Amino acid sequence: MKFLALIIIVIIISCIFYSFRPFVNRGDVSIANGKEAKSKAEDYAQQREMMVEQQIVARGIKSKKVLDAMNSVPRHLFVPVVYRRGSYFDQPLPIGSGQAISQPYIVALMTEMLDVGNDDIVLEIGTGSGYQAAVLSTIVKKLYTIEIIEELGMQAAELLKSQEFDNVEVRISDGGLGLPEKAPFDAIIVTAAASEIPDPLIKQLKPGGRMVIPVDNNYYSQDLLIVEKDEDGNIEIKNTILVRFVPLVKGEKITE
Ligand code: SAH
């Protein structure tokens, strides 16, 4: 009889213990042990590989530098925890403050259009999450990136530093004015929708350099333009595809 009671108590204690177990490792920022953390990283690496094959190679991106960058940068770290499961999906995602991280394919396409290499000094306007900056930083010598919303810029700067993207410098200011003290740039990438190509950016482009920029059209979207400056300073503009970005706003900086 006593033995039976003991067995029942053991069963009850086991049930209580197991019913609490699921709560122990809940969430993305879990107290997972080494093995689980490793399998999560492997899982993201696998999702990244599929993203590159199915969304980027399949749509015609060929540059090895770009494909390697898209394969190596942990996009999930640049996405808010609540959206992390969708980090590698074929879509943009909210990053807070009404802004968005671009769809992976658009990041790859704009990076390929920029056609930069490891000697190049590049300027990005619209740091946002810092993801496009991280992708570019694996390819270029130095990247300056400007964000107008202070909180987003600071967050991105911290993340980029913690992930050792050491050749990136984040500035908080109006990117439409460029960064005259570091100009001229081999390339400029604008990741917010401009109503027209800002003059200061054209001035800060090196002869032989190029800019990739979405500019408003009459169809509630933007034309993704490649702006090339030749050695004599002449400008040639190529219109590529339709895109949709959040607007490039004017002002000193935005604090919330
Ligand atoms: N490249 C980003 C996505 C950009 S979203 C990424 O990889 O996540 C566009 C960003 O441009 C937003 O964060 C917005 O705040 C910023 N922005 C808008 N106007 C700006 C301006 N004038 N100067 C600098 N950043 C600006």
Side-chain angles (χ1 to χ4, degrees), residues 30-74:
S30 71
I31 48 168
N33 62 33
K35 207 168 148 200
E36 274 168 301
K38 188 161 171 251
S39 74
K40 198 158 254 183
E42 278 167 6
D43 184 37
Y44 281 129
Q46 226 168 36
Q47 290 186 43
R48 208 154 45 239
E49 230 172 83
M50 276 171 57
M51 167 191 87
V52 170
E53 281 310 311
Q54 297 174 358
Q55 301 170 33
I56 297 171
V57 174
R59 290 192 179 109
I61 303 291
K62 291 198 173 63
S63 159
K64 179 163 179 342
K65 281 184 277 197
V66 175
L67 297 177
D68 287 348
M70 298 300 293
N71 239 323
S72 70
V73 177

Side-chain angles (χ1 to χ4, degrees), residues 87-102:
S87 314
Y88 295 97
F89 292 178
D90 192 12
Q91 62 185 50
L93 288 167
I95 54 171
S97 310
Q99 308 304 319
I101 178 174
S102 303

Side-chain angles (χ1 to χ4, degrees), residues 56 61 66 70 103-113:
I56 297 171
I61 303 291
V66 175
M70 298 300 293
Q103 177 190 7
Y105 168 64
I106 294 296
V107 173
L109 179 69
M110 289 174 77
T111 309
E112 188 173 66
M113 284 174 172

Side-chain angles (χ1 to χ4, degrees), residues 49-154:
E49 230 172 83
M50 276 171 57
M51 167 191 87
V52 170
E53 281 310 311
Q54 297 174 358
Q55 301 170 33
I56 297 171
V57 174
R59 290 192 179 109
I61 303 291
K62 291 198 173 63
S63 159
K64 179 163 179 342
K65 281 184 277 197
V66 175
L67 297 177
D68 287 348
M70 298 300 293
N71 239 323
S72 70
V73 177
R75 179 172 164 95
H76 59 279
L77 298 182
F78 294 84
V79 167
V81 173
V82 280
Y83 299 114
R84 205 158 268 179
R85 279 173 211 282
S87 314
Y88 295 97
F89 292 178
D90 192 12
Q91 62 185 50
L93 288 167
I95 54 171
S97 310
Q99 308 304 319
I101 178 174
S102 303
Q103 177 190 7
Y105 168 64
I106 294 296
V107 173
L109 179 69
M110 289 174 77
T111 309
E112 188 173 66
M113 284 174 172
L114 213 54
D115 194 18
V116 280
N118 56 12
D119 282 335
D120 291 329
I121 314 280
V122 179
L123 176 66
E124 179 194 29
I125 313 301
T127 314
S129 67
Y131 176 66
Q132 172 76 73
V135 167
L136 272 168
S137 93
T138 67
I139 299 174
V140 305
K141 184 171 177 187
K142 176 87 192 178
L143 177 76
Y144 296 95
T145 177
I146 307 181
E147 173 55 54
I148 202 165
I149 300 179
E150 189 171 36
E151 196 184 338
L152 279 182
M154 309 262 279

